[in-house]
Amino acid sequence: MARAYLNIMSYNSTGLNAVKSDWIRDTMEACKVDLMQIQEHFKKNRNIESFFKKSFPKCDSYVVPGVRSVGQDSGRAMGGLAQLCTNNLSLRKERVTTSQWRLQAQILHCSGGQRILWINAYFPTDPRLQSYDNSELLEVLNEVEKLLELCEYDDCCIGGDLNCDVRRNTGFVRTVTNFMERMGLVSVW
């Protein structure tokens, strides 16, 4: 009998190397993780796909490279996202294009016809102020809203590093929680 659920894990790696890759693989195996989302792998180079295939041979990977500021030709890239799906799942995956380097998305076509919109997010950092320039956060949230409105799916899962601790009373937290309420999203944190 097929399972009626998927185990999903999210990890901000703050850089990805062999040691962290080993830890992710071991954790996925020990916890029977089906879907892994990684934020801040910092990798920008041309062989990023081969790095993920070599590091995670039992997974199908969808990788978004890190980005550099305009005019920055070298040095560590910012961000970088990856979605890993274990090869033993019979899911068809459909990549969804986003205009935000802080987001990546796929539609997972499950057996029985259910479609899950799976979004991996890396939100800007909460500056822990009441009033601040929230333009970057609003750009990310607007792109999430577009994905939620334009994609065809039955359910969705948004995970990642949202940088939102709801115990804080900040403008950032209010913006994120208001967005979640308005879009009908429920936190499982």
Side-chain angles (χ1 to χ4, degrees), residues 96-97 105 107 115 117 146-153:
V96 178
T97 304
I107 296 177
R115 299 162 301 176
L117 174 60
K146 282 183 197 173
L147 292 171
L148 294 171
E149 290 177 350
L150 298 177
C151 292
E152 292 185 27
Y153 60 94

Side-chain angles (χ1 to χ4, degrees), residues 126 128-130 165-174:
D126 180 355
R128 300 183 188 195
L129 301 170
Q130 294 303 317
D165 183 343
V166 295
R167 297 171 295 183
R168 293 185 193 133
N169 179 19
T170 67
F172 182 98
V173 171
R174 275 192 305 283

Side-chain angles (χ1 to χ4, degrees), residues 60-111:
D60 179 33
S61 59
Y62 171 29
V63 184
V64 175
V67 298
R68 291 195 174 102
S69 302
V70 175
Q72 179 189 6
D73 295 328
S74 61
R76 189 184 86 189
M78 299 179 295
L81 300 167
Q83 290 177 313
L84 308 176
C85 179
T86 57
N87 289 334
N88 63 345
L89 292 178
S90 59
L91 295 175
R92 184 170 65 85
K93 294 165 286 302
E94 177 185 348
R95 294 180 181 183
V96 178
T97 304
T98 69
S99 64
Q100 261 293 328
W101 65 270
R102 291 181 170 276
L103 298 172
Q104 79 177 141
Q106 295 185 74
I107 296 177
L108 306 174
H109 296 266
C110 304
S111 59

Side-chain angles (χ1 to χ4, degrees), residues 23-41:
W23 181 84
I24 291 169
R25 273 194 320 277
D26 291 347
T27 302
M28 287 181 73
E29 189 171 321
C31 298
K32 297 181 177 27
V33 173
D34 301 304
L35 304 170
M36 169 64 82
Q37 38 194 66
I38 300 170
Q39 306 82 42
E40 287 197 298
H41 59 64

